[in-house]
Amino acid sequence: MLATASTANVDFVRSLGAETVIDYTTTPFEEVVRDVDLVLDAVGGGTLLRSMKLVKRGGTLISIYEQPSVELAERLGIRASMNQTIPNSEHLCKIVQLIDEGHARPTVRRVFALHEAQLAHELCETGHGRGRIVLHIAD
Ligand SMILES: NC(=O)c1ccc[n+]([C@@H]2O[C@H](COP(=O)([O-])OP(=O)(O)OC[C@H]3O[C@@H](n4cnc5c(N)ncnc54)[C@H](OP(=O)(O)O)[C@@H]3O)[C@@H](O)[C@H]2O)c1
């Protein structure tokens, strides 16, 4: 499995299990990657377009950011779609169970109190960082 990250997060992403981590601030990923079976895109824009060209014919790209170009996907002979998760209480309870049982280990970046919701949003909108941002609503 390959992953991309900025310099400060390379070791962290490797510790999560990526065999190869490409520092996207110093190395265009096309120099390291080609003909992959599956891309998971969380960035969109130009990064998504570049990523589509690295998927081998018959492979798949899934973006959680935006709908990939259908025309480009057809031309490249790949499947490309956007996946949108709409959480419900059943899903959230299942995630809590996976964490409690030690199957999932979330990394928490920062916890904000409810009255700091604006700060939480501003941090979220930077598009960079390590781990989840938590809004503490109730004990
Ligand atoms: N469709 C859905 O259901 C769904 C669900 C959750 C999130 N999303 C969306 O998916 C996006 C990512 O969510 P997130 O919670 O993971 O955001 P996040 O915590 O802000 O993380 C964004 C990640 O993208 C990396 N990144 C930024 N620019 C990059 C680039 N040019 N090339 C490669 N990596 C780059 C950052 O790495 P560095 O910090 O190392 O720069 C960071 O790890 C957001 O736009 C969010 O709204 C969609």
Side-chain angles (χ1 to χ4, degrees):
M1 182 179 49
L2 303 108
T4 56
S6 65
T7 312
N9 286 325
V10 167
D11 288 342
F12 170 67
V13 173
R14 193 173 288 118
S15 78
L16 297 177
E19 285 137 20
T20 303
V21 185
I22 304 159
D23 180 346
Y24 71 82
T25 67
T26 58
T27 308
F29 50 69
E30 296 87 337
E31 289 183 5
V32 184
V33 185
R34 71 168 63 146
D35 286 342
V36 296
D37 296 306
L38 173 71
V39 169
L40 175 62
D41 168 71
V43 178
T47 301
L48 168 57
L49 279 177
R50 289 164 55 210
S51 300
M52 289 176 77
K53 295 172 186 162
L54 303 179
V55 179
K56 67 182 178 195
R57 289 189 83 79
T60 304
L61 179 143
I62 296 169
S63 176
I64 62 167
Y65 184 82
E66 64 180 320
Q67 175 61 48
S69 160
V70 175
E71 294 77 20
L72 181 58
E74 276 176 12
R75 210 166 348 119
L76 296 169
I78 66 172
R79 288 184 295 272
S81 60
M82 178 182 179
N83 183 282
Q84 183 130 37
T85 303
I86 300 169
N88 57 36
S89 61
E90 188 189 339
H91 292 157
L92 295 175
C93 288
K94 183 69 188 168
I95 291 171
V96 169
Q97 186 187 344
L98 291 171
I99 294 170
D100 285 345
E101 292 173 351
H103 299 301
R105 284 181 292 118
T107 299
V108 176
R109 178 176 181 186
R110 192 163 157 194
V111 180
F112 290 92
L114 187 55
H115 71 270
E116 298 174 304
Q118 184 178 340
L119 291 176
H121 272 284
E122 285 168 4
L123 185 61
C124 190
E125 284 166 8
T126 65
H128 299 280
R130 181 188 302 186
R132 301 298 82 199
I133 296 164
V134 176
L135 198 55
H136 191 169
I137 295 172
D139 288 317

